């Protein structure tokens, strides 16, 4: 029996620039952090030669080709497993449509545990690259690359996406006190709205090509470098302002990112003391992340009683094998 633990992620600035339609022309960059909410994938040798996969449904099949879950089917083929295995998964946060990168965290954790089952060590870089290959190339998901690298590497990073498809992950170095205050000032609220990131991104992909949206994404990439610079100077004063500008740009650059309801929540939060924020992930629902002095959090939550606060901290480590027997 082998168990992997893979963190979810919270993206701050630059989302959308990790899509190939943009970064292959201009290069992209995001600032994101892994968080202390996880996806666990358990693999166990099966008594017979069949395959059992348990997630929101149970599958009992006799061959890899019969597995319905596309990521499991593709990952098993990718690592060369044909059967005699049980795969089960559990997540700290609802596993679909919450904007925390759960699908990619699952893929990274699944590849990690399947490689361990085969007796192979894989680096974070390899896990991220292979996860991108499975999700984007094999399964045809219209998603970017940031989630896979955040899950595989962990920590608070600037992640750069180069036109040649290479990816550079650079940890953001700042004082421990700065990190502690940053976490303390972040407020995360669950909207209760779930949506398919693939569907939202599919609707956005065509729009990303026009000049107006390219200008917005170019500015969002600049903001990612600005945010890294301010964090490395231990200056949190600009954090909320950068988040706010990024959110305004993101809403204007693509359809489906916000709604009148989300806009209302965001404005109420700003009126109650939030300096900035965003809907995490592709947009349209999931979690609303806000940045505000800790003393304003109670006023913000009082102004948004329909949303549920969720405690979230940063996670310095990426995907790990936490049990091997």
């Amino acid at each position: 029996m082998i168990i992997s633990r893979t963190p979810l992620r919270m993206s701050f600035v630059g989302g959308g620039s990790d899509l190939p339609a943009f970064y292959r022309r201009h290069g992209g960059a995001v600032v994101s952090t892994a968080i202390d909410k996880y996806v666990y994938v358990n693999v166990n040798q099966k008594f017979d030669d069949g395959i059992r996969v348990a997630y929101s449904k149970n599958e009992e099949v006799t061959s890899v080709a019969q597995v319905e879950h596309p990521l499991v089917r593709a990952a098993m083929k990718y690592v060369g497993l044909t059967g005699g295995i049980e795969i089960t998964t559990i997540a700290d946060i609802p596993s679909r449509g919450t904007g925390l990168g759960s699908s990619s965290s699952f893929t990274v954790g699944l590849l990690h545990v399947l490689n361990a089952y085969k007796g192979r060590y894989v680096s974070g870089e390899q896990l991220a690259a292979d996860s991108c290959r499975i999700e984007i190339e094999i399964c045809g998901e219209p998603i970017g690359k940031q989630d896979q690298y955040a899950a595989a590497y962990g920590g608070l990073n600037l992640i750069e996406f180069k036109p040649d498809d290479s990816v550079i992950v650079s940890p953001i170095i700042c004082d421990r006190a700065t990190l502690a205050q940053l976490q303390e000032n972040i407020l995360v609220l669950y909207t209760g709205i779930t949506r398919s990131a693939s569907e939202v991104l599919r609707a956005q992909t065509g729009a990303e090509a026009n000049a107006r949206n390219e200008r917005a994404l170019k500015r969002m990439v600049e903001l990612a470098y600005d945010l890294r610079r301010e964090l490395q100077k231990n200056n949190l004063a600009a954090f909320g302002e950068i988040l706010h500008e990024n959110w305004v740009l993101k809403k204007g650059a693509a359809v489906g990112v916000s709604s009148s309801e989300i806009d209302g929540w965001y404005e109420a939060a700003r009126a109650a003391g939030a300096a900035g924020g965003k809907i995490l992930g592709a947009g349209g629902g999931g979690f609303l992340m806000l940045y505000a002095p800790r003393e304003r959090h109670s006023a913000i939550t009082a102004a948004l009683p329909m949303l549920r606060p969720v405690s979230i901290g940063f996670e310095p480590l990426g995907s790990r094998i936490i049990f091997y027997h």
Side-chain angles (χ1 to χ4, degrees), residues 11-18 29-31 146 217 220 246 250 278:
S11 178
F12 295 124
V13 173
S17 71
D18 61 328
V30 302
V31 172
Q146 66 161 310
L217 283 169
M220 290 161 68
N246 183 83
K250 186 171 183 177
K278 58 173 291 192

Side-chain angles (χ1 to χ4, degrees), residues 12 30-32 156-160 168-179 182 222-239 242 314:
F12 295 124
V30 302
V31 172
S32 71
L156 173 64
N157 303 297
L158 174 79
I159 309 176
E160 299 171 278
I168 300 173
V169 180
S170 304
I172 294 176
I173 309 301
C174 54
D175 290 347
R176 185 173 297 181
T178 302
L179 277 180
L182 176 59
E222 291 176 359
L223 288 174
Y225 290 102
D226 290 347
L227 186 57
R228 177 179 67 169
R229 184 176 61 252
E230 296 303 327
L231 287 171
Q232 289 182 333
K233 292 192 299 186
N234 298 295
N235 175 27
L236 291 177
F239 193 91
I242 292 173
F314 294 1

Side-chain angles (χ1 to χ4, degrees), residues 33-251:
T33 183
I35 60 173
D36 59 356
K37 298 292 183 285
Y38 308 95
V39 174
Y40 299 86
V41 184
N42 175 81
V43 164
N44 193 38
Q45 186 171 0
K46 203 171 185 294
F47 178 73
D48 56 30
D49 292 330
I51 300 167
R52 177 175 175 265
V53 186
Y55 45 105
S56 57
K57 63 184 289 186
N58 280 305
E59 295 190 47
E60 289 267 5
V61 298
T62 57
S63 72
V64 175
Q66 294 173 323
V67 174
E68 292 181 19
H69 196 300
L71 295 174
V72 175
R73 184 175 65 247
M76 288 188 68
K77 288 181 180 179
Y78 195 80
V79 302
L81 277 166
T82 57
I85 194 171
E86 293 185 85
I87 301 170
T88 57
T89 182
I90 190 169
D92 290 335
I93 296 285
S95 59
R96 186 171 177 81
T98 53
L100 299 176
S102 56
S103 177
S104 297
S105 290
F106 169 73
T107 308
V108 169
L110 177 64
L111 280 174
H112 205 171
V113 80
L114 292 181
N115 275 289
Y117 186 81
K118 294 279 286 185
R120 295 194 292 248
Y121 166 79
V122 280
S123 65
E125 182 179 8
Q126 191 67 49
L127 279 174
D130 288 348
S131 296
C132 289
R133 196 165 295 118
I134 285 173
E135 288 195 89
I136 300 168
E137 296 177 23
I138 297 175
C139 293
E141 292 290 342
I143 60 175
K145 289 184 170 183
Q146 66 161 310
D147 296 354
Q148 298 87 346
Y149 282 84
Y153 278 80
L156 173 64
N157 303 297
L158 174 79
I159 309 176
E160 299 171 278
F161 310 95
K162 300 300 184 179
D164 64 358
D165 278 314
S166 63
V167 179
I168 300 173
V169 180
S170 304
I172 294 176
I173 309 301
C174 54
D175 290 347
R176 185 173 297 181
T178 302
L179 277 180
Q181 187 181 349
L182 176 59
Q183 293 179 74
E184 192 173 275
N185 289 350
I186 287 173
L187 174 62
V188 180
L189 304 170
Y190 183 49
T191 67
I193 304 169
T194 59
R195 78 289 176 271
S196 167
S198 295
E199 291 175 10
V200 175
L201 287 168
R202 194 172 278 114
Q204 294 173 9
T205 302
E208 306 259 313
N210 72 52
R212 179 174 59 84
N213 294 327
E214 281 195 354
R215 284 196 298 272
L217 283 169
K218 286 178 181 178
R219 176 57 184 156
M220 290 161 68
V221 170
E222 291 176 359
L223 288 174
Y225 290 102
D226 290 347
L227 186 57
R228 177 179 67 169
R229 184 176 61 252
E230 296 303 327
L231 287 171
Q232 289 182 333
K233 292 192 299 186
N234 298 295
N235 175 27
L236 291 177
F239 193 91
E241 295 173 11
I242 292 173
L243 277 184
H244 178 66
E245 183 178 349
N246 183 83
W247 173 241
V248 172
L249 287 166
K250 186 171 183 177
K251 285 199 304 175

